Amino acid sequence: MADGTVAADQLRLFIERIERLEEEKKGIADDIRDVYAESKSNGYDTKTMRAMVRLRKMEIHTRQEADALLETYRIALGLS
Amino acid sequence: MADGTVAADQLRLFIERIERLEEEKKGIADDIRDVYAESKSNGYDTKTMRAMVRLRKMEIHTRQEADALLETYRIALGLS
Amino acid sequence: MADGTVAADQLRLFIERIERLEEEKKGIADDIRDVYAESKSNGYDTKTMRAMVRLRKMEIHTRQEADALLETYRIALGLS
Amino acid sequence: MADGTVAADQLRLFIERIERLEEEKKGIADDIRDVYAESKSNGYDTKTMRAMVRLRKMEIHTRQEADALLETYRIALGLS
DNA sequence: ACGTTTGCGCTTTAGC
DNA sequence: GCTAAAGCGCAAACGT
């Protein structure tokens, strides 16, 4: 078997792994859509819910940055 | 327990389900990044690989659209 | 005349140019709507027409992507 | 010349008119991108400018609605 | 590391 | 009113 073929097979495998993962990602995205739809059928406003999710994510992110900063200080000061 | 509380609990559950799914989606996206990185370390060009994946997806999509259009024609013309 | 005023004038001009262009764009979009409406009054199915336009655009795009990918290969392989 | 051919020609003309208009629309959109780019190279923040354009559009829209309401009242009250 | 550019997701809008 | 598609904004990714 020539190297070219081996390389082609390896490349093909990488591509297929990526495509498989992208399908999974698509599936999760569809699940998220379904939850929003279910929420809507229960009387909740989708746009507002998306805003809530976005806001919570930002808050988590902000909190993590604050924690990282504290950790940096802790190490810099040689604290356990 | 008041209705308001029940509703709040239900909303919270929906939000948490969405956040859980978004974490999963993020995980898959990270996996995809890893595969591209692994491919790169095996000598493949990331940009080219992304183009290949994108092209394959587009071709599938174009084919599906073409099929749907033919079906539309078929129905419009009253063919079985 | 202070620099602040000059800057404000320049910014205002940029904003107005954008707004003018967006009006033009809106006008074109309205023209497109009109053509679809005229087509419909001539007995053509709007949905099918939109699908045709979309499909033709996708095919052109797919072709261009394929060409670009070939070019990428060519360069990667050091071919003239 | 058969009716089928005439119809096909007419349809083709409609499609081509639409495609021509969509190209024009694309051109305008590109021009808008250029103005934002030029603004950026002059030191203005693109994101902020987009927010300004959006806000002004909303205000114009709000103003128009208010005017329309006033006009409705005027007519309802038989005022000149 | 930064700035640019491209792809992806969301929002909004149009059609049924 | 709801579904689907087009347009827009953002964010990651590439190149410098």
Side-chain angles (χ1 to χ4, degrees), chain B residues 34-45:
Chain B
D34 291 344
V35 178
Y36 277 116
E38 189 184 344
S39 304
K40 190 171 186 174
S41 71
N42 275 273
Y44 297 105
D45 178 58

Side-chain angles (χ1 to χ4, degrees), chain D residues 19-32:
Chain D
E19 288 177 341
R20 178 78 180 82
L21 287 167
E22 295 215 331
E23 277 177 38
E24 283 183 43
K25 187 154 71 82
K26 179 76 160 52
I28 307 284
D30 291 343
D31 289 345
I32 292 172

Side-chain angles (χ1 to χ4, degrees), chain A residues 6 12 14 18 28 30-31 42 51 58 74 76 79:
Chain A
V6 172
R12 187 175 51 76
F14 279 131
I18 289 164
I28 307 282
D30 290 343
D31 289 345
N42 275 274
M58 285 174 62
R74 197 186 57 73
L79 304 175

Side-chain angles (χ1 to χ4, degrees), chain A residues 17-18 21-22 25, chain B residues 26-40 46 50:
Chain A
R17 276 175 65 194
I18 289 164
L21 286 167
E22 294 214 332
K25 186 153 74 83
Chain B
K26 179 73 162 51
I28 307 284
D30 290 344
D31 290 345
I32 292 172
R33 287 179 63 92
D34 291 344
V35 178
Y36 277 116
E38 189 184 344
S39 304
K40 190 171 186 174
T46 304
R50 286 185 185 274

Side-chain angles (χ1 to χ4, degrees), chain B residues 47-49 51-52 55, chain C residues 64-74:
Chain B
K47 187 174 181 179
T48 303
M49 286 187 65
M52 290 174 66
L55 187 58
Chain C
Q64 289 174 342
E65 279 264 316
D67 289 347
L69 184 56
L70 283 174
E71 177 72 4
T72 301
Y73 280 153
R74 198 185 59 73

Side-chain angles (χ1 to χ4, degrees), chain A residues 7 10 14 19 42 44 56, chain B residues 7 10 19 39 42 44 56:
Chain A
Q10 192 184 26
F14 279 131
E19 287 176 341
N42 275 274
Y44 299 105
R56 282 167 62 107
Chain B
Q10 191 185 28
E19 289 176 340
S39 304
N42 275 273
Y44 297 105
R56 283 165 63 108

